[in-house]
């Protein structure tokens, strides 16, 4: 594909190409049984193929090698990949969060590095959370001290998704006084192999090494690697959070819908599909995914129209946690004893473990409900508290 087409024409052409089972994609299936590092590498291969073919270039501006369009094209891309039995590359989760912010606030860096990330040649990590500044980003303490021509960075980050595998780290640092909170934060684009950067993978309950903690010890970063103006980091973080909420939800709902179909097929093979109780469990999981799918489509359409979604995107995060845990809980319930015992269910078990954190990572469900109650619905304090804890008002 070399020129933008209508959204529906794009969907049909992408679907037809995927259904033709191109030889280049055949070795990329069976991903669910792979170790995380190999899965990440496989995603980069998939991105390289679809970028070269042109499909992945849609939805991204020409300044980073794209073919134009907007976020809706990207949502269709993830939908069709998952429906075809493939997956959303790991690099695209961070890419959807960080890419738009770099394009907007650091166009020179986007022009230099954006195509490398989108085409799978590079992986970017998101250095936000710290040991004592998880959901409260304004409390972060990693410091960037101004020097001649740049900054000297010292501090620690934790829970950096794929940070130990990343080539570059989009890092929030404190450039204002210690008590400056959100007013004294900047963003630096740090090469992960810079002298003084130490990364230690963290092991999940599933055994996967998907995140890491990162230490910065007198790391030199040039001024040209700052994203946006000094002390503008909070505004940049708020800008990208709407993509983290909306586009991540669009990616995950595509994956969850595909997994739900796989679960239904597995039950048909074992003769359970006619069981009314099983149908009820599947139906409830399907309803949770459908709610997420509908909401994320609305939010992506707003982003596509150039709107600022803001705190309303927290609804997508709440629905995502419900859908993710709903699908994986359904698998655990319906696969019975085999869920814990059979090798064929190893990927289901790993994904179930991962889903336990879906109501915590990226801002807990309680925090998201507080944002919705206070900043979207404008509820009085008592009603806001009831909404936060999920109790009837």
């Amino acid at each position: 594909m070399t020129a933008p087409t209508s959204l529906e024409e794009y969907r049909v052409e992408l679907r037809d190409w995927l259904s033709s089972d191109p030889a280049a994609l055949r070795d990329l299936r069976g991903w669910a049984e792979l170790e995380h590092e190999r899965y990440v590498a496989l995603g980069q291969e998939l991105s390289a193929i679809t970028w070269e073919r042109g499909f992945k270039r849609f939805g991204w501006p020409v300044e980073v090698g794209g073919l134009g369009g907007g976020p809706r094209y990207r949502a269709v891309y993830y939908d069709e990949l998952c429906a075809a039995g493939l997956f959303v590359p790991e690099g695209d989760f961070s890419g959807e969060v960080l890419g738009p912010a770099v394009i907007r606030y650091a166009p020179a860096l986007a022009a230099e590095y954006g195509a490398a990330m989108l085409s799978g040649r590079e992986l970017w990590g998101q250095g936000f959370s710290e040991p004592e500044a998880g959901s409260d980003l304004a409390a972060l303490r990693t410091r960037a001290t101004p020097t001649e021509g740049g900054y000297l960075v010292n501090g620690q980050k934790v829970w950096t998704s794929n940070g130990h595998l990343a080539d570059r780290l989009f890092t929030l640092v404190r450039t204002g006084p210690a008590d400056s909170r959100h007013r004294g934060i900047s963003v630096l684009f740090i090469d992960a192999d810079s002298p003084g950067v130490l990364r230690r993978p963290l092991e999940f309950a599933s055994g996967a090494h998907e995140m890491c903690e990162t230490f910065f010890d007198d790391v030199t970063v040039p001024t040209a690697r700052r994203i946006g103006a000094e002390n503008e980091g909070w505004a940049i973080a708020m800008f990208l959070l709407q993509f983290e909420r909306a586009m991540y939800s669009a990616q995950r709902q595509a994956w969850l819908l595909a997994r739900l179909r796989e679960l239904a097929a597995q039950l048909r093979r074992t003769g359970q599909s006619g069981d009314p109780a099983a149908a009820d469990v599947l139906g409830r999981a399907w309803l949770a995914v459908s709610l997420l799918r509908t909401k994320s489509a609305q939010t992506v359409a707003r982003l596509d129209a150039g709107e600022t979604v803001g705190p309303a995107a927290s609804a997508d995060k709440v629905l995502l946690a419900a859908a993710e845990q709903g699908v994986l809980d359904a698998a655990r319930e319906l696969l019975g004893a085999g869920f814990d015992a059979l090798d064929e269910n190893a990927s289901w078990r790993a994904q179930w473990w991962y889903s336990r954190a879906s109501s915590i990572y990226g801002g807990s469900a309680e925090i998201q409900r507080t944002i919705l109650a206070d900043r979207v619905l404008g509820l009085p304090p008592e009603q806001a508290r009831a909404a936060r804890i999920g109790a009837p008002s």
Side-chain angles (χ1 to χ4, degrees), residues 47 56 77-78 88-97 118 251:
S47 289
K56 193 178 181 184
Y77 171 75
Y78 303 128
V88 177
E90 278 290 301
D92 286 342
F93 291 122
S94 59
E96 282 291 351
V97 176
L118 294 170
Q251 293 169 319

Side-chain angles (χ1 to χ4, degrees), residues 366 369-375 377-393:
E366 290 78 12
R369 291 191 181 98
T370 298
I371 292 171
L372 291 169
D374 291 345
R375 301 179 59 189
L377 300 176
L379 297 179
E382 284 305 310
Q383 287 181 301
R385 179 178 180 277
R388 180 173 65 251
I389 64 177
S393 58

